[in-house]
Amino acid sequence: MNRFGQTARKDLWWVRPLMVFIGLFSFIVYATWAAFQGEHYAIGPYISPFYSPEIFGNSPHSWFGPKPSWWPAVLGFSPALLILWAPGGMRLTCYYYRGAYYKSFWADPPACAVSEPRKTYRGENSLPLILQNVHRYFLYLAILFVIVLFYDAWKALWFVDPATGQEHFGIGVGTIVLTLNATLLGGYTFGCHSFRHLVGGFKDQLSRSPVQRKVYNCASCLNKRHMNWAWCSLFGVAFADIYVRLCSMGIWTDWRIF
């Protein structure tokens, strides 16, 4: 029997799990850093998706005003820390990402026909992996976040004239960035396996519910490219934060298209 890392395969089987590791680890590092900054997350009608919805904060996008007085002084405050646990939980427990980080982080297994570094496998029926079953509940929260992000994209169409203080319709590069981000996250969320079950996977005969069947078929169509949606939305949300951050810092200038 082969030991871990030993295989008769001659191809570079380790490249894919390595690239997945680099991609996921890079995102985790950047997202953690960005979440703790607590500044440069909004400019004009734009707000970073890492900070939306901004429940408490200092930007005009805040729903309930600045940091509450009851917030412990010993704890650092960032509006992102109040919300990122929800979309983060959605991705952490996602069926695709489970397979991705099981292979790349835990070597479970690292690749087909490659030995695992363990003798037993308990599956997801015991702690800690049984907690993955909360995925469907994180899905409900993720749907609400997608709605909020599309609303942010709508708000990104309205700019305030500094001379008159009046709002007017416009399209900037940031508008496109935020709209594309919401679309990618929507494709990822509504192509989720749990969403398919939610809209019709639990029924024996979908043909008796034509509307439900169409929604299920649409979700199934998105699900066929679930991996693509997952990666595109992952880097899309990171780039949206980078774009808003650099515009807020004055490093980038938001070009107005219309």
Side-chain angles (χ1 to χ4, degrees):
M1 175 164 308
N2 293 333
R3 295 181 179 179
F4 173 63
Q6 293 180 330
T7 175
R9 291 173 54 178
K10 302 300 182 182
D11 61 318
L12 299 177
W13 57 265
W14 48 269
V15 172
R16 185 179 182 88
L18 176 62
M19 295 303 294
V20 170
F21 174 84
I22 293 174
L24 290 178
F25 184 74
S26 299
F27 177 82
I28 292 171
V29 170
Y30 175 77
T32 302
W33 174 85
F36 277 95
Q37 295 309 297
E39 58 182 3
H40 297 301
Y41 59 86
I43 179 172
Y46 305 151
I47 181 171
S48 164
F50 282 172
Y51 286 77
S52 183
E54 184 183 6
I55 300 175
F56 295 105
N58 297 321
S59 86
H61 300 269
S62 176
W63 287 15
F64 302 108
K67 180 182 75 172
S69 58
W70 48 261
W71 187 266
V74 295
L75 297 179
F77 177 80
S78 172
L81 300 180
L82 301 177
I83 62 166
L84 276 186
W85 58 271
M90 165 72 176
R91 287 192 183 265
L92 182 66
T93 58
C94 167
Y95 297 115
Y96 165 70
Y97 279 115
R98 292 186 205 179
Y101 65 71
Y102 284 2
K103 291 180 180 179
S104 59
F105 285 80
W106 297 346
D108 189 20
C112 180
V114 179
S115 301
E116 296 189 25
R118 62 184 57 78
K119 296 181 179 180
T120 60
Y121 175 66
R122 297 187 298 172
E124 296 181 346
N125 295 320
S126 57
L127 287 172
L129 296 184
I130 195 173
L131 297 177
Q132 301 280 29
N133 294 324
V134 301
H135 177 64
R136 69 191 67 178
Y137 304 108
F138 278 115
L139 168 69
Y140 305 148
L141 294 174
I143 292 173
L144 297 178
F145 274 74
V146 170
I147 294 173
V148 170
L149 292 178
F150 270 110
Y151 177 64
D152 289 341
W154 166 257
K155 292 193 300 182
L157 291 167
W158 303 94
F159 296 83
V160 176
D161 189 331
T164 63
Q166 298 295 318
E167 281 190 341
H168 61 88
F169 177 82
I171 298 177
V173 174
T175 307
I176 298 175
V177 170
L178 294 184
T179 302
L180 181 60
N181 172 64
T183 302
L184 291 174
L185 287 172
Y188 166 64
T189 302
F190 297 122
C192 172
H193 300 77
S194 291
F195 184 76
R196 292 175 70 225
H197 177 78
L198 177 66
V199 299
F202 60 92
K203 301 196 71 170
D204 293 330
Q205 290 184 302
L206 272 173
S207 58
R208 294 184 177 181
S209 306
V211 175
Q212 200 169 2
R213 180 181 179 181
K214 289 188 177 183
V215 176
Y216 179 82
N217 288 341
C218 287
S220 299
C221 183
L222 293 173
N223 183 260
K224 292 179 181 178
R225 297 288 185 270
H226 196 47
M227 180 185 72
N228 301 50
W229 287 110
W231 282 106
C232 288
S233 62
L234 186 78
F235 289 106
V237 70
F239 179 75
D241 176 82
I242 292 172
Y243 185 86
V244 174
R245 184 173 302 279
L246 294 183
C247 286
S248 175
M249 296 173 67
I251 299 176
W252 284 358
T253 300
D254 181 57
W255 290 348
R256 194 70 55 81
I257 300 173
F258 177 78

